[in-house]
Amino acid sequence: MEIDIQDEINKDDIVFYSVLYSTVTLAFAIAVVSKFFTNEFRFGFRSFLTLIILFLGEPLCQFLVKGPQGLLLFSVGCLIIYSILPANNLPADKKSVLITGCDSGFGNALALKLDSLGMQVFAGCLDEQGAGAKDLKSKCSDRLKLLRLDVTKPKDIEAAASLIKSTVGDEGLWGLVNNAGVWYFADLEITSDQILQKVMDVNLFGAIRLTKAVLPLIKQAHGRIINVSSLLGRISLEGNGAYSMSKHALVAFSNTLRLEMKKWEVDVSIVEPIAYYTGNMQGAALMERKEELWDSLNEETKKIYNKAYLDDAYSHLDSSFQKYSKDLTPVIRCMRSALLSKRPKERYPCDTGAEILFFLCPLLPVWLADCLSNSICVLPRRLRLNAYCEGK
């Protein structure tokens, strides 16, 4: 009789805890699904952990740990997993953002996305009558304002800041995305002062000038600053010296600015795309850059590195870039998160394995890190050995 009573008690306990487990599981599942649907997240490592907790965590805790300890362990696990998922986004309406480099690539795609969310977008274009600007004009709402904005020209920056100030009024400017950039492939020995100055002026000093010009408006809104860096902002590759120098400096600027802006409740993030195919990498633009680079060299340097070296290098780069991803969605998702997430991250590496690569490289011995850099380099060995140069 006592055994029967004990069995009944055990059955009641099982039913009672099963109901509690089901309640916790249902609440956790609804919260996670709601977060993913409202924030456009995609399946990844954290999503995998969520599924593990849902499908394995509950039975393991219920039947192995048992009792209130098992329920507590399962509930804590759900809370931890939920806490590491990306934060919910803030409402996009009634917020304004300035984006540079909207002629093509990331800037153009981001302007389209943010306009569709209801944001007031100021799209800075190098050529406001170009194809990219016309595309934005035809696809976006009347809220979007096109700006002629060359970040190397103080007058353009001053005019843009003045227009934005008169438009946003007391609400201030919520976001600035420093996306404009320029890239050349060349050994440092054949990167002329003219080209080096241009790369630094656009990628670094342009971002600094524009940030300072609109910073009072961003502080007014307690908004966000997003600087677009690159893999080359942390890892140096052969032939990318000028670009890498500019992006390393941009990262240092961003890190310092992030610390200084905390007291103003302004968040600063760095977005780091890897291997995406944008307008700057397309054939005509690439070859035009090659000719500009060659024309900037003096005759003595031209004798050391002859034209065939650059011709073959840029032709190989053109064909290699065709294999890069044309889907810019992962980068746009990171930019949107940096602008609108309730808990924006300091860095947004954008590509499969990017976080592992960035974590691993600083830990490696220099010789091993150099080997890794050489393995990433897209140039064939015959070009990297300067086979076309004098004396080779």
Side-chain angles (χ1 to χ4, degrees), residues 48 51-52 122 157 175 187 304 314 340 387:
F48 178 72
L51 294 177
I52 291 292
F122 297 93
I157 292 176
D187 297 56
I304 300 173
Y314 272 78
L340 295 174

Side-chain angles (χ1 to χ4, degrees), residues 165-348:
K165 184 177 181 179
S166 64
T167 304
V168 300
D170 294 336
E171 291 184 3
L173 180 67
W174 173 257
L176 166 64
V177 182
N178 284 309
N179 169 70
V182 63
W183 169 88
Y184 292 82
F185 174 85
D187 297 56
L188 283 173
E189 187 179 6
I190 57 172
T191 303
S192 64
D193 290 349
Q194 174 187 331
I195 295 298
L196 181 59
Q197 180 62 48
K198 180 178 179 179
V199 172
M200 298 296 288
D201 212 21
V202 175
N203 298 354
L204 176 62
F205 296 117
I208 294 173
R209 289 189 201 99
L210 186 59
T211 300
K212 286 186 173 182
V214 299
L215 199 51
L217 298 174
I218 297 174
K219 288 162 60 179
Q220 189 176 337
H222 302 295
R224 310 281 173 85
I225 299 169
I226 290 86
N227 292 325
V228 181
S229 183
S230 163
L231 163 73
L232 297 173
R234 288 204 253 177
I235 299 173
S236 298
L237 297 182
E238 184 176 346
N240 292 274
Y243 185 80
S244 192
M245 289 160 61
S246 69
K247 292 301 184 181
H248 271 75
L250 183 65
V251 168
F253 167 68
S254 303
N255 289 337
T256 306
L257 187 66
R258 183 181 67 253
L259 296 172
E260 294 175 351
M261 286 296 107
K262 286 183 183 296
K263 58 181 172 285
W264 301 104
E265 297 179 24
V266 171
D267 292 303
V268 180
S269 298
I270 304 170
V271 174
E272 301 169 302
I274 300 176
Y276 287 91
Y277 186 72
T278 64
N280 288 331
M281 293 179 171
Q282 294 174 2
L286 199 61
M287 296 309 160
E288 184 178 333
R289 222 166 296 145
K290 178 195 68 175
E291 294 301 325
E292 181 185 355
L293 174 68
W294 179 254
D295 291 342
S296 71
L297 300 178
N298 57 43
E299 292 303 318
E300 183 178 349
T301 307
K302 287 181 179 179
K303 290 178 181 178
I304 300 173
Y305 289 79
N306 64 52
K307 186 72 179 299
Y309 171 65
L310 281 182
D311 287 341
D312 276 10
Y314 272 78
S315 294
H316 183 82
L317 289 170
D318 188 23
S319 61
S320 297
F321 289 158
Q322 301 289 337
K323 302 172 186 176
Y324 284 8
S325 175
K326 297 178 176 63
D327 179 15
L328 307 183
T329 305
V331 181
I332 303 309
R333 188 182 289 113
C334 288
M335 290 178 170
R336 178 193 173 186
S337 178
L339 280 169
L340 295 174
S341 173
K342 290 182 179 180
R343 297 196 310 270
K345 298 191 292 185
E346 292 80 10
R347 293 178 181 270
Y348 287 87

